[in-house]
Amino acid sequence: MLSILVQVKDMAMLSPFSLFADVANLSGTTAVFLQDFKAFSHHETIKAYDWTAFLYVTAVAVYSLEGVGMVLPLESSCAKREEFPKILKWTIVGITLLIASFGVAGYAAFGPHTE
């Protein structure tokens, strides 16, 4: 399949597939949030932080932001380079908040039994 995709000369031809992938990601994220909020019914005390999982949390955070290697190519193709640092900052803040809220919602719904 990949050999067929590399034959595409104009990236605009792939935009419908990218749009479909974006819609699928948004639908999946929404479904998980709805399931978490529906499952939120326990009354246990939730531990705020577990130091035994520190390395795991760090690895997930690094993996989540691994696309940072694309920063230089994106900056060089940006039409207004002077605005790029602000856009990059707010994008990383938004992604971090989305990932954090995803984790907090799951942990709040299923409590300390979450693994």
Side-chain angles (χ1 to χ4, degrees):
M1 180 67 181
L2 186 59
S3 61
I4 295 171
L5 289 176
V6 297
Q7 301 300 320
V8 176
K9 302 287 187 214
D10 185 17
M11 293 301 286
M13 291 178 58
L14 297 177
S15 60
F17 299 107
S18 178
L19 181 63
F20 176 74
D22 290 341
V23 169
N25 281 331
L26 188 60
S27 300
T29 302
T30 303
V32 170
F33 272 122
L34 290 175
Q35 182 181 3
D36 287 346
F37 290 129
K38 190 170 88 173
F40 184 73
S41 63
H42 64 83
H43 300 286
E44 299 177 38
T45 303
I46 296 176
K47 192 174 178 181
Y49 195 77
D50 184 10
W51 286 100
T52 60
F54 179 74
L55 290 176
Y56 176 73
V57 170
T58 303
V60 169
V62 168
Y63 174 75
S64 299
L65 298 171
E66 75 172 334
V68 79
M70 291 294 297
V71 170
L72 292 176
L74 286 173
E75 182 182 17
S76 66
S77 66
C78 190
K80 297 180 182 178
R81 283 189 172 183
E82 63 276 356
E83 292 183 12
F84 185 76
K86 182 174 68 170
I87 294 169
L88 177 65
K89 177 181 76 172
W90 285 112
T91 302
I92 290 179
V93 166
I95 290 170
T96 303
L97 287 175
L98 178 67
I99 292 168
S101 64
F102 203 77
V104 167
Y107 194 77
F110 300 107
H113 308 293
T114 304
E115 294 191 18

mmCIF file of all heavy atoms in Angstrom, residues 60-80:
data_model
loop_
_atom_site.group_PDB
_atom_site.id
_atom_site.type_symbol
_atom_site.label_atom_id
_atom_site.label_comp_id
_atom_site.label_asym_id
_atom_site.label_seq_id
_atom_site.Cartn_x
_atom_site.Cartn_y
_atom_site.Cartn_z
ATOM 1 N N VAL A 60 5.265 8.402 28.324
ATOM 2 C CA VAL A 60 4.055 8.724 27.564
ATOM 3 C C VAL A 60 4.086 10.183 27.123
ATOM 4 O O VAL A 60 3.728 10.512 25.988
ATOM 5 C CB VAL A 60 2.790 8.410 28.396
ATOM 6 C CG1 VAL A 60 1.548 8.985 27.740
ATOM 7 C CG2 VAL A 60 2.636 6.922 28.579
ATOM 8 N N ALA A 61 4.544 11.074 27.998
ATOM 9 C CA ALA A 61 4.617 12.495 27.644
ATOM 10 C C ALA A 61 5.609 12.729 26.511
ATOM 11 O O ALA A 61 5.329 13.490 25.576
ATOM 12 C CB ALA A 61 5.008 13.319 28.867
ATOM 13 N N VAL A 62 6.748 12.074 26.564
ATOM 14 C CA VAL A 62 7.743 12.226 25.503
ATOM 15 C C VAL A 62 7.209 11.657 24.195
ATOM 16 O O VAL A 62 7.346 12.264 23.136
ATOM 17 C CB VAL A 62 9.074 11.540 25.908
ATOM 18 C CG1 VAL A 62 10.017 11.435 24.731
ATOM 19 C CG2 VAL A 62 9.727 12.309 27.040
ATOM 20 N N TYR A 63 6.563 10.501 24.262
ATOM 21 C CA TYR A 63 6.001 9.888 23.058
ATOM 22 C C TYR A 63 4.912 10.766 22.453
ATOM 23 O O TYR A 63 4.797 10.888 21.233
ATOM 24 C CB TYR A 63 5.439 8.504 23.395
ATOM 25 C CG TYR A 63 4.720 7.858 22.250
ATOM 26 C CD1 TYR A 63 5.422 7.324 21.182
ATOM 27 C CD2 TYR A 63 3.329 7.805 22.202
ATOM 28 C CE1 TYR A 63 4.772 6.740 20.110
ATOM 29 C CE2 TYR A 63 2.668 7.226 21.147
ATOM 30 C CZ TYR A 63 3.403 6.698 20.108
ATOM 31 O OH TYR A 63 2.758 6.129 19.052
ATOM 32 N N SER A 64 4.099 11.384 23.295
ATOM 33 C CA SER A 64 2.989 12.207 22.814
ATOM 34 C C SER A 64 3.457 13.430 22.045
ATOM 35 O O SER A 64 2.770 13.925 21.162
ATOM 36 C CB SER A 64 2.123 12.657 23.987
ATOM 37 O OG SER A 64 1.584 11.538 24.631
ATOM 38 N N LEU A 65 4.629 13.939 22.385
ATOM 39 C CA LEU A 65 5.146 15.135 21.735
ATOM 40 C C LEU A 65 6.324 14.822 20.816
ATOM 41 O O LEU A 65 7.146 15.675 20.545
ATOM 42 C CB LEU A 65 5.543 16.170 22.796
ATOM 43 C CG LEU A 65 4.399 16.662 23.669
ATOM 44 C CD1 LEU A 65 4.930 17.502 24.809
ATOM 45 C CD2 LEU A 65 3.379 17.429 22.863
ATOM 46 N N GLU A 66 6.399 13.594 20.316
ATOM 47 C CA GLU A 66 7.548 13.194 19.519
ATOM 48 C C GLU A 66 7.591 13.844 18.141
ATOM 49 O O GLU A 66 8.594 13.806 17.470
ATOM 50 C CB GLU A 66 7.608 11.679 19.367
ATOM 51 C CG GLU A 66 6.586 11.118 18.398
ATOM 52 C CD GLU A 66 6.800 9.656 18.132
ATOM 53 O OE1 GLU A 66 7.935 9.182 18.255
ATOM 54 O OE2 GLU A 66 5.820 8.988 17.797
ATOM 55 N N GLY A 67 6.546 14.478 17.712
ATOM 56 C CA GLY A 67 6.527 15.137 16.415
ATOM 57 C C GLY A 67 7.300 16.440 16.399
ATOM 58 O O GLY A 67 7.283 17.164 15.410
ATOM 59 N N VAL A 68 8.002 16.743 17.487
ATOM 60 C CA VAL A 68 8.744 17.994 17.573
ATOM 61 C C VAL A 68 9.857 18.061 16.521
ATOM 62 O O VAL A 68 10.315 19.150 16.180
ATOM 63 C CB VAL A 68 9.270 18.204 19.015
ATOM 64 C CG1 VAL A 68 10.507 17.366 19.276
ATOM 65 C CG2 VAL A 68 9.521 19.656 19.302
ATOM 66 N N GLY A 69 10.245 16.946 15.955
ATOM 67 C CA GLY A 69 11.245 16.930 14.891
ATOM 68 C C GLY A 69 10.752 17.585 13.607
ATOM 69 O O GLY A 69 11.544 17.875 12.707
ATOM 70 N N MET A 70 9.472 17.834 13.522
ATOM 71 C CA MET A 70 8.894 18.491 12.348
ATOM 72 C C MET A 70 8.895 20.012 12.471
ATOM 73 O O MET A 70 8.459 20.706 11.557
ATOM 74 C CB MET A 70 7.451 18.015 12.149
ATOM 75 C CG MET A 70 7.336 16.575 11.722
ATOM 76 S SD MET A 70 8.025 16.314 10.090
ATOM 77 C CE MET A 70 6.972 17.326 9.096
ATOM 78 N N VAL A 71 9.395 20.535 13.586
ATOM 79 C CA VAL A 71 9.314 21.978 13.834
ATOM 80 C C VAL A 71 10.082 22.772 12.784
ATOM 81 O O VAL A 71 9.559 23.736 12.216
ATOM 82 C CB VAL A 71 9.813 22.313 15.253
ATOM 83 C CG1 VAL A 71 9.966 23.807 15.429
ATOM 84 C CG2 VAL A 71 8.858 21.748 16.277
ATOM 85 N N LEU A 72 11.324 22.405 12.503
ATOM 86 C CA LEU A 72 12.115 23.168 11.539
ATOM 87 C C LEU A 72 11.536 23.142 10.128
ATOM 88 O O LEU A 72 11.442 24.192 9.486
ATOM 89 C CB LEU A 72 13.562 22.702 11.552
ATOM 90 C CG LEU A 72 14.327 23.029 12.839
ATOM 91 C CD1 LEU A 72 15.733 22.446 12.791
ATOM 92 C CD2 LEU A 72 14.357 24.513 13.082
ATOM 93 N N PRO A 73 11.106 21.978 9.604
ATOM 94 C CA PRO A 73 10.474 22.012 8.282
ATOM 95 C C PRO A 73 9.185 22.828 8.257
ATOM 96 O O PRO A 73 8.904 23.512 7.270
ATOM 97 C CB PRO A 73 10.191 20.540 7.970
ATOM 98 C CG PRO A 73 11.115 19.771 8.815
ATOM 99 C CD PRO A 73 11.336 20.597 10.043
ATOM 100 N N LEU A 74 8.423 22.775 9.335
ATOM 101 C CA LEU A 74 7.187 23.561 9.382
ATOM 102 C C LEU A 74 7.490 25.057 9.438
ATOM 103 O O LEU A 74 6.828 25.853 8.786
ATOM 104 C CB LEU A 74 6.342 23.162 10.594
ATOM 105 C CG LEU A 74 5.629 21.827 10.494
ATOM 106 C CD1 LEU A 74 4.981 21.477 11.816
ATOM 107 C CD2 LEU A 74 4.607 21.838 9.384
ATOM 108 N N GLU A 75 8.500 25.415 10.217
ATOM 109 C CA GLU A 75 8.855 26.825 10.311
ATOM 110 C C GLU A 75 9.357 27.355 8.972
ATOM 111 O O GLU A 75 9.020 28.465 8.564
ATOM 112 C CB GLU A 75 9.916 27.048 11.383
ATOM 113 C CG GLU A 75 10.279 28.496 11.562
ATOM 114 C CD GLU A 75 11.366 28.712 12.594
ATOM 115 O OE1 GLU A 75 12.061 27.743 12.940
ATOM 116 O OE2 GLU A 75 11.522 29.860 13.028
ATOM 117 N N SER A 76 10.143 26.556 8.276
ATOM 118 C CA SER A 76 10.673 27.026 6.995
ATOM 119 C C SER A 76 9.591 27.162 5.930
ATOM 120 O O SER A 76 9.731 27.941 4.999
ATOM 121 C CB SER A 76 11.784 26.091 6.507
ATOM 122 O OG SER A 76 11.258 24.823 6.197
ATOM 123 N N SER A 77 8.492 26.422 6.071
ATOM 124 C CA SER A 77 7.415 26.527 5.090
ATOM 125 C C SER A 77 6.303 27.477 5.536
ATOM 126 O O SER A 77 5.323 27.644 4.817
ATOM 127 C CB SER A 77 6.829 25.148 4.808
ATOM 128 O OG SER A 77 6.185 24.653 5.955
ATOM 129 N N CYS A 78 6.470 28.079 6.689
ATOM 130 C CA CYS A 78 5.454 28.989 7.222
ATOM 131 C C CYS A 78 5.459 30.306 6.446
ATOM 132 O O CYS A 78 6.509 30.874 6.146
ATOM 133 C CB CYS A 78 5.730 29.240 8.702
ATOM 134 S SG CYS A 78 4.407 30.090 9.544
ATOM 135 N N ALA A 79 4.288 30.818 6.139
ATOM 136 C CA ALA A 79 4.188 32.066 5.383
ATOM 137 C C ALA A 79 4.621 33.260 6.226
ATOM 138 O O ALA A 79 5.293 34.165 5.721
ATOM 139 C CB ALA A 79 2.760 32.262 4.897
ATOM 140 N N LYS A 80 4.250 33.280 7.484
ATOM 141 C CA LYS A 80 4.632 34.369 8.392
ATOM 142 C C LYS A 80 5.512 33.789 9.494
ATOM 143 O O LYS A 80 5.019 33.393 10.548
ATOM 144 C CB LYS A 80 3.393 35.022 8.985
ATOM 145 C CG LYS A 80 2.505 35.682 7.965
ATOM 146 C CD LYS A 80 1.294 36.297 8.636
ATOM 147 C CE LYS A 80 0.380 36.920 7.598
ATOM 148 N NZ LYS A 80 -0.814 37.486 8.240
#
